[in-house]
Amino acid sequence: MRHRLNDRAGSGGPSAEDVGDIEGIDADTGRKLLDDLLDEAVWLDHCPFVSASFGPAPAWLRHEPVSAFQPLPVPPPASLHGTPGPRRVCVSFAPEHGPNARTWARTHGYRLLAPEAGVTAWAADKISVLELFEEAGVATPPCLVVPATGRAPAKAYWPDDWPGAVAQRRQNNLIGRGTVPLGSPAELERRLAAWPDEPVRLSRLAPGISLTVTACAGPDRTVVSAVSHQLVGLPELAASWGTHCGNQLVHPGDVPDGLYGQAREAARRVGEVLRGRGFRGVFGLDLV
């Protein structure tokens, strides 16, 4: 859906025309379609920020504090329940993290709008995702996988020509603490000791501009939305190197020639592979 950024009072942000191509439909058109399709939509997340920023607020949208990392909340009052059916849906941020979103939907008779858990788990896994990028023809930094058991000394995994490296646990924990920069084999040795009995992806450090591309895999195509500069690990805002701090939309002219189009094409290629595996819905692709 195309969001008219300059309609957000006081944002001071760029208009949609200022940020290059954004595919989809106008926000007002999308809102009218949703009005006709839904009786109720529930945003499941520990924070109501996303649903609260949807303005003007539709009568069919509400928030429930359902988190992947916390116990399920007390069931809502009966007055908030309607007749279960396809017009009552719920949406969750990263529903693959734990069973809470699916449990809530099943308990209260809502349809959870989420991709199949299997393909989401495959795409979110920091190691198996390499298969996705290879199939999509999207380049990744040189990397290797340190095995969970029977490990050699750390220096055996560190190529001599690497100026730095990044170690990643395979699971996506959503807060960036499974991604750690390393400056030497000695640092890798300490990191592997802290992550025993699990495989670790080790990649050559690739300095550069961090970008995020948002896209949606539909039944017949991949729609590519905005490209933004991802703000990560800012010491004023984050406690760790890999923690996400926010995003700022960019214009094609804000990045070196060709990178904006390359980022969009990478998202389209990844989306087409995901579509072929049955994934439906929105995804984000982080690039350097």
PDB file of all heavy atoms in Angstrom, residues 23-43:
ATOM      1  N   GLU A  23       5.625   0.915  -5.006  1.00  0.00           N
ATOM      2  CA  GLU A  23       4.579   0.190  -5.709  1.00  0.00           C
ATOM      3  C   GLU A  23       3.402  -0.084  -4.788  1.00  0.00           C
ATOM      4  O   GLU A  23       3.538  -0.121  -3.570  1.00  0.00           O
ATOM      5  CB  GLU A  23       5.142  -1.131  -6.242  1.00  0.00           C
ATOM      6  CG  GLU A  23       6.262  -0.945  -7.254  1.00  0.00           C
ATOM      7  CD  GLU A  23       6.884  -2.255  -7.672  1.00  0.00           C
ATOM      8  OE1 GLU A  23       6.450  -3.311  -7.176  1.00  0.00           O
ATOM      9  OE2 GLU A  23       7.817  -2.234  -8.489  1.00  0.00           O
ATOM     10  N   GLY A  24       2.239  -0.283  -5.384  1.00  0.00           N
ATOM     11  CA  GLY A  24       1.053  -0.620  -4.613  1.00  0.00           C
ATOM     12  C   GLY A  24      -0.112   0.252  -5.027  1.00  0.00           C
ATOM     13  O   GLY A  24      -0.228   0.653  -6.186  1.00  0.00           O
ATOM     14  N   ILE A  25      -0.979   0.566  -4.079  1.00  0.00           N
ATOM     15  CA  ILE A  25      -2.139   1.397  -4.346  1.00  0.00           C
ATOM     16  C   ILE A  25      -2.161   2.548  -3.345  1.00  0.00           C
ATOM     17  O   ILE A  25      -1.494   2.501  -2.309  1.00  0.00           O
ATOM     18  CB  ILE A  25      -3.455   0.595  -4.250  1.00  0.00           C
ATOM     19  CG1 ILE A  25      -3.629   0.002  -2.846  1.00  0.00           C
ATOM     20  CG2 ILE A  25      -3.502  -0.494  -5.304  1.00  0.00           C
ATOM     21  CD1 ILE A  25      -4.960  -0.697  -2.648  1.00  0.00           C
ATOM     22  N   ASP A  26      -2.921   3.567  -3.663  1.00  0.00           N
ATOM     23  CA  ASP A  26      -3.038   4.714  -2.777  1.00  0.00           C
ATOM     24  C   ASP A  26      -3.628   4.303  -1.431  1.00  0.00           C
ATOM     25  O   ASP A  26      -4.486   3.416  -1.346  1.00  0.00           O
ATOM     26  CB  ASP A  26      -3.942   5.766  -3.434  1.00  0.00           C
ATOM     27  CG  ASP A  26      -4.047   7.017  -2.601  1.00  0.00           C
ATOM     28  OD1 ASP A  26      -3.155   7.858  -2.701  1.00  0.00           O
ATOM     29  OD2 ASP A  26      -5.023   7.122  -1.818  1.00  0.00           O
ATOM     30  N   ALA A  27      -3.155   4.945  -0.361  1.00  0.00           N
ATOM     31  CA  ALA A  27      -3.590   4.578   0.985  1.00  0.00           C
ATOM     32  C   ALA A  27      -5.100   4.714   1.157  1.00  0.00           C
ATOM     33  O   ALA A  27      -5.736   3.882   1.806  1.00  0.00           O
ATOM     34  CB  ALA A  27      -2.858   5.430   2.019  1.00  0.00           C
ATOM     35  N   ASP A  28      -5.691   5.768   0.563  1.00  0.00           N
ATOM     36  CA  ASP A  28      -7.138   5.942   0.709  1.00  0.00           C
ATOM     37  C   ASP A  28      -7.906   4.806   0.028  1.00  0.00           C
ATOM     38  O   ASP A  28      -8.910   4.315   0.548  1.00  0.00           O
ATOM     39  CB  ASP A  28      -7.562   7.288   0.114  1.00  0.00           C
ATOM     40  CG  ASP A  28      -7.100   8.469   0.960  1.00  0.00           C
ATOM     41  OD1 ASP A  28      -6.826   8.255   2.159  1.00  0.00           O
ATOM     42  OD2 ASP A  28      -7.005   9.585   0.424  1.00  0.00           O
ATOM     43  N   THR A  29      -7.409   4.389  -1.138  1.00  0.00           N
ATOM     44  CA  THR A  29      -8.047   3.275  -1.836  1.00  0.00           C
ATOM     45  C   THR A  29      -7.932   1.996  -1.016  1.00  0.00           C
ATOM     46  O   THR A  29      -8.898   1.241  -0.866  1.00  0.00           O
ATOM     47  CB  THR A  29      -7.400   3.067  -3.216  1.00  0.00           C
ATOM     48  OG1 THR A  29      -7.504   4.282  -3.970  1.00  0.00           O
ATOM     49  CG2 THR A  29      -8.064   1.923  -3.968  1.00  0.00           C
ATOM     50  N   GLY A  30      -6.743   1.758  -0.470  1.00  0.00           N
ATOM     51  CA  GLY A  30      -6.553   0.576   0.359  1.00  0.00           C
ATOM     52  C   GLY A  30      -7.434   0.595   1.586  1.00  0.00           C
ATOM     53  O   GLY A  30      -7.990  -0.441   1.986  1.00  0.00           O
ATOM     54  N   ARG A  31      -7.580   1.761   2.186  1.00  0.00           N
ATOM     55  CA  ARG A  31      -8.430   1.877   3.376  1.00  0.00           C
ATOM     56  C   ARG A  31      -9.881   1.539   3.039  1.00  0.00           C
ATOM     57  O   ARG A  31     -10.561   0.825   3.794  1.00  0.00           O
ATOM     58  CB  ARG A  31      -8.324   3.294   3.932  1.00  0.00           C
ATOM     59  CG  ARG A  31      -9.373   3.688   4.947  1.00  0.00           C
ATOM     60  CD  ARG A  31      -9.283   2.855   6.227  1.00  0.00           C
ATOM     61  NE  ARG A  31     -10.407   3.152   7.092  1.00  0.00           N
ATOM     62  CZ  ARG A  31     -10.427   4.153   7.964  1.00  0.00           C
ATOM     63  NH1 ARG A  31      -9.388   4.959   8.077  1.00  0.00           N
ATOM     64  NH2 ARG A  31     -11.477   4.353   8.729  1.00  0.00           N
ATOM     65  N   LYS A  32     -10.375   2.013   1.909  1.00  0.00           N
ATOM     66  CA  LYS A  32     -11.750   1.709   1.514  1.00  0.00           C
ATOM     67  C   LYS A  32     -11.946   0.210   1.269  1.00  0.00           C
ATOM     68  O   LYS A  32     -12.981  -0.357   1.619  1.00  0.00           O
ATOM     69  CB  LYS A  32     -12.117   2.514   0.268  1.00  0.00           C
ATOM     70  CG  LYS A  32     -12.231   4.012   0.523  1.00  0.00           C
ATOM     71  CD  LYS A  32     -12.485   4.784  -0.764  1.00  0.00           C
ATOM     72  CE  LYS A  32     -12.554   6.284  -0.500  1.00  0.00           C
ATOM     73  NZ  LYS A  32     -12.710   7.057  -1.761  1.00  0.00           N
ATOM     74  N   LEU A  33     -10.934  -0.425   0.675  1.00  0.00           N
ATOM     75  CA  LEU A  33     -11.014  -1.867   0.463  1.00  0.00           C
ATOM     76  C   LEU A  33     -11.090  -2.611   1.793  1.00  0.00           C
ATOM     77  O   LEU A  33     -11.879  -3.543   1.963  1.00  0.00           O
ATOM     78  CB  LEU A  33      -9.806  -2.347  -0.339  1.00  0.00           C
ATOM     79  CG  LEU A  33      -9.763  -1.967  -1.819  1.00  0.00           C
ATOM     80  CD1 LEU A  33      -8.410  -2.326  -2.415  1.00  0.00           C
ATOM     81  CD2 LEU A  33     -10.878  -2.667  -2.585  1.00  0.00           C
ATOM     82  N   LEU A  34     -10.267  -2.184   2.760  1.00  0.00           N
ATOM     83  CA  LEU A  34     -10.281  -2.831   4.065  1.00  0.00           C
ATOM     84  C   LEU A  34     -11.611  -2.595   4.785  1.00  0.00           C
ATOM     85  O   LEU A  34     -12.126  -3.483   5.468  1.00  0.00           O
ATOM     86  CB  LEU A  34      -9.128  -2.314   4.915  1.00  0.00           C
ATOM     87  CG  LEU A  34      -7.726  -2.735   4.459  1.00  0.00           C
ATOM     88  CD1 LEU A  34      -6.661  -2.039   5.299  1.00  0.00           C
ATOM     89  CD2 LEU A  34      -7.558  -4.239   4.532  1.00  0.00           C
ATOM     90  N   ASP A  35     -12.164  -1.403   4.632  1.00  0.00           N
ATOM     91  CA  ASP A  35     -13.467  -1.122   5.248  1.00  0.00           C
ATOM     92  C   ASP A  35     -14.530  -2.107   4.768  1.00  0.00           C
ATOM     93  O   ASP A  35     -15.399  -2.526   5.536  1.00  0.00           O
ATOM     94  CB  ASP A  35     -13.918   0.307   4.919  1.00  0.00           C
ATOM     95  CG  ASP A  35     -13.125   1.358   5.668  1.00  0.00           C
ATOM     96  OD1 ASP A  35     -12.461   1.016   6.674  1.00  0.00           O
ATOM     97  OD2 ASP A  35     -13.163   2.535   5.247  1.00  0.00           O
ATOM     98  N   ASP A  36     -14.453  -2.477   3.489  1.00  0.00           N
ATOM     99  CA  ASP A  36     -15.442  -3.392   2.920  1.00  0.00           C
ATOM    100  C   ASP A  36     -15.149  -4.861   3.262  1.00  0.00           C
ATOM    101  O   ASP A  36     -16.062  -5.686   3.263  1.00  0.00           O
ATOM    102  CB  ASP A  36     -15.472  -3.242   1.390  1.00  0.00           C
ATOM    103  CG  ASP A  36     -16.019  -1.892   0.960  1.00  0.00           C
ATOM    104  OD1 ASP A  36     -16.747  -1.263   1.760  1.00  0.00           O
ATOM    105  OD2 ASP A  36     -15.699  -1.457  -0.164  1.00  0.00           O
ATOM    106  N   LEU A  37     -13.888  -5.165   3.560  1.00  0.00           N
ATOM    107  CA  LEU A  37     -13.493  -6.558   3.755  1.00  0.00           C
ATOM    108  C   LEU A  37     -13.531  -7.022   5.206  1.00  0.00           C
ATOM    109  O   LEU A  37     -13.633  -8.218   5.479  1.00  0.00           O
ATOM    110  CB  LEU A  37     -12.073  -6.783   3.205  1.00  0.00           C
ATOM    111  CG  LEU A  37     -11.906  -6.759   1.684  1.00  0.00           C
ATOM    112  CD1 LEU A  37     -10.430  -6.744   1.323  1.00  0.00           C
ATOM    113  CD2 LEU A  37     -12.586  -7.972   1.060  1.00  0.00           C
ATOM    114  N   LEU A  38     -13.410  -6.089   6.161  1.00  0.00           N
ATOM    115  CA  LEU A  38     -13.186  -6.460   7.562  1.00  0.00           C
ATOM    116  C   LEU A  38     -14.318  -6.024   8.478  1.00  0.00           C
ATOM    117  O   LEU A  38     -14.882  -4.944   8.315  1.00  0.00           O
ATOM    118  CB  LEU A  38     -11.881  -5.831   8.067  1.00  0.00           C
ATOM    119  CG  LEU A  38     -10.582  -6.266   7.391  1.00  0.00           C
ATOM    120  CD1 LEU A  38      -9.416  -5.463   7.947  1.00  0.00           C
ATOM    121  CD2 LEU A  38     -10.347  -7.752   7.594  1.00  0.00           C
ATOM    122  N   ASP A  39     -14.613  -6.881   9.439  1.00  0.00           N
ATOM    123  CA  ASP A  39     -15.413  -6.477  10.586  1.00  0.00           C
ATOM    124  C   ASP A  39     -14.519  -6.042  11.734  1.00  0.00           C
ATOM    125  O   ASP A  39     -14.869  -5.150  12.507  1.00  0.00           O
ATOM    126  CB  ASP A  39     -16.309  -7.627  11.060  1.00  0.00           C
ATOM    127  CG  ASP A  39     -17.429  -7.919  10.078  1.00  0.00           C
ATOM    128  OD1 ASP A  39     -17.829  -6.992   9.348  1.00  0.00           O
ATOM    129  OD2 ASP A  39     -17.884  -9.066  10.033  1.00  0.00           O
ATOM    130  N   GLU A  40     -13.367  -6.689  11.858  1.00  0.00           N
ATOM    131  CA  GLU A  40     -12.440  -6.351  12.934  1.00  0.00           C
ATOM    132  C   GLU A  40     -11.048  -6.853  12.583  1.00  0.00           C
ATOM    133  O   GLU A  40     -10.876  -7.921  11.999  1.00  0.00           O
ATOM    134  CB  GLU A  40     -12.892  -6.965  14.255  1.00  0.00           C
ATOM    135  CG  GLU A  40     -12.071  -6.496  15.448  1.00  0.00           C
ATOM    136  CD  GLU A  40     -12.589  -7.053  16.766  1.00  0.00           C
ATOM    137  OE1 GLU A  40     -13.318  -8.080  16.732  1.00  0.00           O
ATOM    138  OE2 GLU A  40     -12.253  -6.487  17.806  1.00  0.00           O
ATOM    139  N   ALA A  41     -10.036  -6.043  12.918  1.00  0.00           N
ATOM    140  CA  ALA A  41      -8.636  -6.445  12.793  1.00  0.00           C
ATOM    141  C   ALA A  41      -7.946  -6.121  14.107  1.00  0.00           C
ATOM    142  O   ALA A  41      -8.076  -5.010  14.629  1.00  0.00           O
ATOM    143  CB  ALA A  41      -7.958  -5.714  11.639  1.00  0.00           C
ATOM    144  N   VAL A  42      -7.230  -7.087  14.649  1.00  0.00           N
ATOM    145  CA  VAL A  42      -6.563  -6.923  15.934  1.00  0.00           C
ATOM    146  C   VAL A  42      -5.055  -6.989  15.719  1.00  0.00           C
ATOM    147  O   VAL A  42      -4.536  -7.954  15.141  1.00  0.00           O
ATOM    148  CB  VAL A  42      -6.986  -8.021  16.927  1.00  0.00           C
ATOM    149  CG1 VAL A  42      -6.355  -7.769  18.300  1.00  0.00           C
ATOM    150  CG2 VAL A  42      -8.508  -8.080  17.047  1.00  0.00           C
ATOM    151  N   TRP A  43      -4.358  -5.943  16.159  1.00  0.00           N
ATOM    152  CA  TRP A  43      -2.902  -5.900  16.089  1.00  0.00           C
ATOM    153  C   TRP A  43      -2.351  -6.518  17.371  1.00  0.00           C
ATOM    154  O   TRP A  43      -2.601  -6.035  18.472  1.00  0.00           O
ATOM    155  CB  TRP A  43      -2.426  -4.459  15.935  1.00  0.00           C
ATOM    156  CG  TRP A  43      -0.955  -4.249  16.113  1.00  0.00           C
ATOM    157  CD1 TRP A  43      -0.346  -3.500  17.067  1.00  0.00           C
ATOM    158  CD2 TRP A  43       0.106  -4.762  15.287  1.00  0.00           C
ATOM    159  NE1 TRP A  43       1.028  -3.522  16.905  1.00  0.00           N
ATOM    160  CE2 TRP A  43       1.330  -4.294  15.823  1.00  0.00           C
ATOM    161  CE3 TRP A  43       0.128  -5.601  14.159  1.00  0.00           C
ATOM    162  CZ2 TRP A  43       2.564  -4.624  15.261  1.00  0.00           C
ATOM    163  CZ3 TRP A  43       1.365  -5.917  13.596  1.00  0.00           C
ATOM    164  CH2 TRP A  43       2.560  -5.429  14.149  1.00  0.00           C
TER     165      TRP A  43
END
